């Protein structure tokens, strides 16, 4: 599991302000994308001071800007 906190996350045409992005790899190798509003600090979450754009490819790519 990978977690990122960013000022903005863009995914499927929607912008999520100050949110946490969670990428989870399933046993079959596919990756799920979860986005939730920032509610508090969690260990092992990387912070990005800007925008993370998540592509709709398999697996998803992250573009940091």
């Amino acid at each position: 599991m990978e977690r990122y906190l960013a000022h903005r996350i863009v995914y499927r045409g929607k912008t999520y302000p100050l949110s946490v992005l969670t990428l989870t790899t399933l046993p079959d190798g596919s990756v799920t994308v979860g986005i939730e509003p920032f509610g508090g600090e969690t260990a092992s979450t990387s912070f990005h001071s800007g925008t993370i754009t998540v592509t709709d490819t398999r697996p998803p790519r992250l573009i940091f800007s």
Side-chain angles (χ1 to χ4, degrees), residues 18-35:
L18 195 57
S19 294
V20 177
L21 165 68
T22 304
L23 300 174
T24 305
T25 303
L26 302 177
D28 67 1
S30 63
V31 178
T32 62
V33 176
I35 301 172

Side-chain angles (χ1 to χ4, degrees), residues 10-64:
V10 178
Y11 182 55
R12 294 185 172 169
K14 187 169 180 186
T15 301
Y16 301 85
L18 195 57
S19 294
V20 177
L21 165 68
T22 304
L23 300 174
T24 305
T25 303
L26 302 177
D28 67 1
S30 63
V31 178
T32 62
V33 176
I35 301 172
E36 59 189 45
F38 176 67
E41 292 189 32
T42 303
S44 73
T45 300
S46 297
F47 175 69
H48 177 67
S49 180
T51 301
I52 300 174
T53 301
V54 184
T55 66
D56 204 16
T57 59
R58 295 291 173 220
R61 265 185 59 229
L62 303 181
I63 302 167
F64 297 86

